[in-house]
């Protein structure tokens, strides 16, 4: 046993330092996504274009985000974490400044695509660097820092965005990112460990890139169109068909390739396969409902975007509160029990919204949102943590990409499905159509949460976590050996 063994029960100070440095920059990406989402109507008016055009401000960003994610593992190995992080953050900063200076809708969309390319690299790189620094120890506590940007964004983003749109020009939305980017670059440049010289410079898997990136982009495009128009249209079915074709082709290719762009063979590991499946399905119950809640407040209760953002703050506070409990518990008992309990809480706290109307007690709804947020925090962090249980350092980057893709595609799929459910329910209802439609959609969100509990049984439990922690401690005490572990 080494001298630092007792510290292994908590987050190593060096890991905490790395996490704090990376979180500062990552906040720019999360705030940007949530701030812009409340400003599309204002952008359409200011730039004198239809909403269908300005929607590409978010669609283009989302597609670029998805396209960049698969490159992160290769870039980390080829150039080193510090270099990739600082380049990606610089690209995002340039896209933010360019977006604020955009002269028309087309230029704004172009700068947003540049932002998405930077952000798409930043998010998996952040997760990979922090989890690699943790070395398999205190993964649950470490994940509380990885998840922090995602928890703060939904709380503060809509508030800041609504306030800017109400009192200032839309251009100021993109300047909010600049301090985070500048501070993130300064901190990373001064305090992140220097990248060690590469022993070997891996080649980019060009065929994997050609197959995987178009597949992800086409699927996300089809799902984005489905959320606005339903699944029965050509502009939905055609991209989905093309995307699925490319993804299947990449899967067949990657299974035979020695060093694919993304090693999907990791899905055979219980930790990665189960967490990826749960993260995909959680898009229906978690992200889909995030579409319904602000729409309910705006369309049924008739409040402004800023007020709707304020009303959703209790949910974010609940997620922050459970963050402090879920991380340490995951290290002790595994993700399985906590995730099941979290989904049950989310489902239970969603049921009251299936009975609301325009006059429902706002204070009682705030309480249910607080409880729902507690459930959200108890789901996302344990499931994300589970994906890294028992992985070798070289495998962490691939797991980060797989889970990020599952989150993004699952979130888009869930949002599209619940948007279609809501639209059809409203169209099929009589008087009070909007209220009835939201009732139906919230019941669907509740059902998806309960369905997710079934998949959670597959997540690593106490025994798997304890075995992985013991293996990590043993590996830390042994001389470093070359090679890649198997799963």
């Amino acid at each position: 046993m080494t001298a630092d063994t007792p510290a292994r029960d908590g987050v190593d100070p060096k890991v905490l330092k790395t996490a704090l440095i990376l979180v500062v920059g990552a906040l720019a990406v999360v705030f940007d996504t949530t701030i812009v989402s409340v400003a599309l109507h204002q952008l359409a008016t200011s730039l004198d274009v239809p909403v269908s055009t300005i929607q590409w401000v978010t669609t283009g960003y989302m597609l670029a985000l998805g396209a960049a994610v698969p490159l992160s593992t290769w870039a980390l190995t080829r150039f080193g974490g510090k270099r990739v992080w600082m380049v990606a953050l610089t690209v995002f900063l340039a896209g933010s400044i360019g977006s604020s200076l955009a002269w028309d809708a087309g230029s704004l969309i172009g700068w947003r695509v540049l932002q998405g390319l930077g952000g798409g690299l930043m998010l998996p790189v952040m997760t990979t660097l922090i989890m690699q620094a943790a070395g398999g120890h205190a993964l649950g506590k470490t994940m509380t820092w990885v998840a922090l940007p995602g928890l703060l964004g939904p709380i503060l983003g809509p508030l800041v965005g609504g306030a800017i749109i109400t009192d200032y020009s839309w251009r100021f939305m993109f300047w909010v990112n600049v301090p985070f980017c500048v501070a993130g670059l300064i901190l990373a440049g001064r305090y992140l460990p220097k990248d060690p010289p590469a022993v070997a410079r891996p080649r980019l898997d060009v065929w994997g890139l050609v197959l995987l990136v178009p597949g992800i982009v086409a699927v996300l495009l089809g799902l984005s169109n489905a959320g606005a128009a339903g699944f029965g249209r050509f502009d939905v079915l055609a991209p989905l068909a093309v995307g699925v074709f490319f993804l299947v082709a990449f899967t067949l290719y990657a299974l035979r390739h020695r060093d694919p762009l993304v090693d999907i063979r990791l899905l055979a590991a219980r930790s990665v396969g189960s967490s990826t499946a749960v993260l995909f399905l959680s898009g229906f119950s978690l992200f889909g409902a995030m579409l319904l809640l602000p729409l309910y407040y705006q369309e049924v209760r008739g409040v402004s975007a800023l007020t709707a953002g304020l009303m959703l703050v209790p949910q974010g506070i609940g997620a922050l509160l459970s963050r402090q409990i879920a991380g340490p518990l995951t290290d002790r008992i595994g993700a399985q029990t906590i995730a099941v309990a979290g989904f049950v809480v989310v489902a239970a706290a969603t049921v009251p919204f299936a009975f609301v109307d325009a006059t429902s007690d706002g204070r009682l709804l705030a309480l249910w949102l607080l409880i729902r947020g507690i459930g959200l925090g108890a789901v996302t962090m344990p499931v994300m943590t589970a994906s890294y249980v028992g992985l070798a350092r070289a495998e962490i980057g691939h797991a980060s990409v797989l889970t990020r893709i599952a989150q993004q595609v699952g979130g888009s799929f869930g949002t599209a499905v619940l948007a279609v459910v809501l639209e059809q329910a409203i169209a099929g209802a009589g008087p009070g159509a909007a209220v009835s439609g939201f009732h139906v959609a919230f019941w669907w969100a509740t059902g998806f949460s309960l369905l997710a509990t079934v998949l959670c049984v597959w997540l690593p439990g106490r025994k798997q976590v304890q075995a992985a922690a013991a293996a990590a401690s043993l590996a830390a005490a042994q001389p470093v050996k070359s090679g890649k572990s198997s799963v």
Side-chain angles (χ1 to χ4, degrees):
M1 183 175 292
T2 59
D4 66 339
T5 299
R8 295 298 184 179
D9 292 334
V11 180
D12 189 294
K14 293 181 180 179
V15 178
L16 181 58
K17 179 181 176 181
T18 299
L20 289 173
I21 292 170
L22 298 175
V23 163
V24 170
L27 284 171
V29 181
V30 179
F31 280 138
D32 182 85
T33 303
T34 52
I35 287 174
V36 175
S37 65
V38 303
L40 293 182
H41 179 74
Q42 180 65 36
L43 286 173
T45 302
S46 300
L47 297 174
D48 194 24
V49 293
V51 174
S52 59
T53 298
I54 210 65
Q55 183 66 37
W56 278 92
V57 170
T58 56
T59 302
Y61 175 83
M62 177 192 68
L63 297 181
L65 203 74
V69 167
L71 286 168
S72 63
T73 303
W74 168 79
L76 279 170
T77 308
R78 175 66 173 80
F79 301 106
K82 182 174 182 176
R83 294 189 188 94
V84 174
W85 176 256
M86 294 187 69
V87 168
L89 193 52
T90 301
V91 170
F92 191 85
L93 173 61
S96 298
I97 296 174
S99 296
S100 72
L101 302 175
W103 50 93
D104 57 18
S107 62
L108 177 58
I109 293 168
W111 286 114
R112 286 283 287 165
V113 168
L114 184 65
Q115 270 189 308
L117 292 174
L121 277 177
M122 286 171 63
L123 295 177
V125 166
M126 177 191 72
T127 306
T128 299
L129 291 180
I130 295 175
M131 300 310 286
Q132 284 181 341
H137 300 281
L139 295 182
K141 293 179 181 178
T142 303
M143 185 57 68
T144 62
W145 294 100
V146 176
L148 184 60
L151 296 175
L152 288 177
I155 301 175
L156 300 179
L159 298 181
V160 175
I164 291 174
I165 291 300
T166 302
D167 298 320
Y168 302 99
S169 167
W170 59 268
R171 298 181 184 275
F172 286 98
M173 291 189 305
F174 300 103
W175 283 99
V176 173
N177 307 327
V178 173
F180 292 105
C181 292
V182 173
L185 285 170
I186 294 173
L187 291 172
R190 291 192 63 179
Y191 299 114
L192 276 186
K194 291 183 179 181
D195 295 317
V199 177
R201 296 183 178 273
R203 287 186 176 183
L204 177 63
D205 179 13
V206 177
W207 280 110
L209 185 69
V210 169
L211 293 173
L212 181 58
V213 171
I216 295 172
V217 170
V219 168
L220 291 176
L221 177 60
L223 293 174
S224 176
N225 293 339
F231 285 90
R233 293 164 51 104
F234 178 78
D235 62 347
V236 175
L237 296 177
L240 286 178
V242 171
V244 170
F245 172 80
F246 274 96
L247 291 179
V248 171
F250 172 78
T251 300
L252 297 175
Y253 165 83
L255 289 175
R256 296 178 308 209
H257 198 273
R258 183 177 179 181
D259 294 306
L261 185 66
V262 179
D263 190 358
I264 63 170
R265 288 167 292 210
L266 279 175
L267 293 174
R270 176 177 176 178
S271 58
V272 182
S274 61
S275 58
T276 300
V278 173
L279 285 170
F280 176 82
L281 186 57
S282 71
F284 291 76
S285 58
L286 306 184
F287 296 100
M290 290 301 293
L291 163 77
L292 299 178
L293 288 167
L295 284 179
Y296 158 72
Y297 280 110
Q298 292 179 70
E299 296 187 14
V300 176
R301 301 180 76 95
V303 304
S304 65
L306 176 58
T307 304
L310 284 168
M311 290 180 168
L312 292 177
V313 166
Q315 181 171 253
I317 294 175
L320 280 174
L321 292 175
S322 62
R323 161 183 173 267
Q324 301 297 331
I325 302 172
L329 274 179
T330 302
D331 290 329
R332 273 186 268 171
I333 65 175
Q336 189 181 88
T337 303
I338 303 172
V340 168
F343 273 116
V344 171
V345 170
V346 170
T350 305
V351 169
F353 288 90
F355 297 96
V356 294
D357 55 28
T359 61
S360 298
D361 188 343
R363 292 168 298 182
L364 188 58
L365 293 182
L367 176 60
W368 284 115
L369 283 173
L370 178 69
I371 296 172
R372 192 174 191 277
I374 291 173
L376 290 176
V379 167
T380 51
M381 280 185 296
V383 176
M384 286 293 293
T385 302
S387 61
Y388 300 100
V389 172
L391 295 188
R393 181 182 178 87
E395 297 165 337
I396 291 176
H398 292 278
S400 296
V401 172
L402 289 169
T403 53
R404 182 64 58 181
I405 292 173
Q407 272 188 306
Q408 192 166 0
V409 175
S412 298
F413 202 179
T415 301
V417 168
L418 286 183
V420 171
V421 168
L422 176 62
E423 182 181 358
Q424 292 183 349
I426 291 176
V435 174
S436 299
F438 277 100
H439 289 173
V440 172
F442 279 119
W443 276 120
W444 275 77
T446 302
F448 286 132
S449 296
L450 294 175
L451 181 60
T453 61
V454 178
L455 283 178
C456 288
V457 177
W458 188 21
L459 292 169
R462 184 197 302 266
K463 291 182 179 179
Q464 288 77 22
V465 171
Q466 291 175 342
S473 297
L474 180 62
Q478 300 296 325
V480 177
K481 297 180 181 180
S482 60
K484 183 178 179 180
S485 72
S486 60
V487 294

